[in-house]
Amino acid sequence: MISLSKKVCLLGDFAVGKTSLVRRFVYSLFDDRYLSTIGVRVSRKMIVLPRGQDMVELSLMLWDLAGSEEFNTVRTSYLRGAAGAILVCDLTRTTTLDSLPAYAAELRQVNPGAWLVVAANKGDLVGEHRLTEAQVAQRAAELAAPYFITSAKTGANVEVAFHRLGELVVA
Ligand code: GDP
Ligand code: MG
């Protein structure tokens, strides 16, 4: 068994569900540090993945902005060293999808090789959706990222989205 640790960031507009997705995924909270100086919460979750013939024990360090979003002041330290990111949009608000390329560009400016997975969240709020899956798919393709329709509320596709990012960052 190979053991690795990777930093991944949650990126997306206010209230899209970044913190809720982390909480849902990290149901067995192993480590939860609050870096009050930079307003970031770091959670740790172990996942086990195949890589070729080996199994990899991956410790995912999940970085999430805590409290009010003051992204300008934390940007560099927040992104530095990230192997990848979950880009989160909210299916009930079209502008949240439009924001994703800028987040991706900022991350790739700091870490050119960073991997991305798009989580189109609030999949459960079916009657309130203002974005179609086709729109999400097109944006994700432009960012060369896989996408998932997630719900932090029901848990739909949350595990699979984080696992896909895990596979990408250990590949
Ligand atoms: P953040 O600002 O991106 O961290 O967003 P939060 O995780 O704080 O979530 C913002 C609001 O959206 C909260 O009221 C959550 O309960 C709600 N929320 C987050 N994810 C979902 C979801 O998948 N479905 C529904 N119905 N509500 C969600
Ligand atoms: Mg949050």
Side-chain angles (χ1 to χ4, degrees):
M1 182 87 87
I2 299 161
S3 291
L4 293 173
S5 177
K6 298 284 184 184
K7 170 179 173 177
V8 304
C9 291
L10 277 287
L11 293 173
D13 288 349
F14 181 67
V16 292
K18 300 181 296 297
T19 300
S20 301
L21 287 167
V22 171
R23 286 216 189 98
R24 167 62 70 174
F25 179 56
V26 188
Y27 48 88
S28 53
L29 211 56
F30 177 71
D31 185 17
D32 191 327
R33 282 187 303 140
Y34 178 55
L35 308 181
S36 56
T37 47
I38 54 171
V40 169
R41 186 171 289 277
V42 182
S43 307
R44 184 161 60 180
K45 169 96 171 181
M46 284 289 216
I47 60 175
V48 176
L49 302 163
R51 182 174 66 177
Q53 304 286 66
D54 299 317
M55 294 303 283
V56 176
E57 188 180 57
L58 174 63
S59 175
L60 277 178
M61 309 299 295
L62 302 163
W63 286 50
D64 180 34
L65 293 169
S68 61
E69 322 275 293
E70 291 173 16
F71 202 62
N72 283 317
T73 60
V74 301
R75 180 172 287 134
T76 304
S77 53
Y78 185 67
L79 298 176
R80 191 180 294 126
I86 306 274
L87 295 178
V88 187
C89 68
D90 176 344
L91 288 166
T92 71
R93 287 183 291 146
T94 55
T95 55
T96 64
L97 181 65
D98 299 332
S99 297
L100 296 189
Y103 289 111
E106 283 167 7
L107 177 65
R108 283 179 166 153
Q109 195 171 352
V110 179
N111 308 303
W115 295 94
L116 302 172
V117 166
V118 171
N121 193 43
K122 310 195 186 181
D124 59 286
L125 295 177
V126 174
E128 298 171 38
H129 287 177
R130 297 290 176 270
L131 285 166
T132 64
E133 181 163 353
Q135 289 172 303
V136 173
Q138 166 147 12
R139 283 284 190 198
E142 287 163 10
L143 296 169
Y147 75 91
F148 298 91
I149 306 294
T150 61
S151 170
K153 185 171 182 183
T154 68
N157 267 339
V158 175
E159 186 107 1
V160 71
F162 281 96
H163 273 254
R164 176 62 63 84
L165 186 59
E167 287 169 7
L168 291 170
V169 300
V170 304

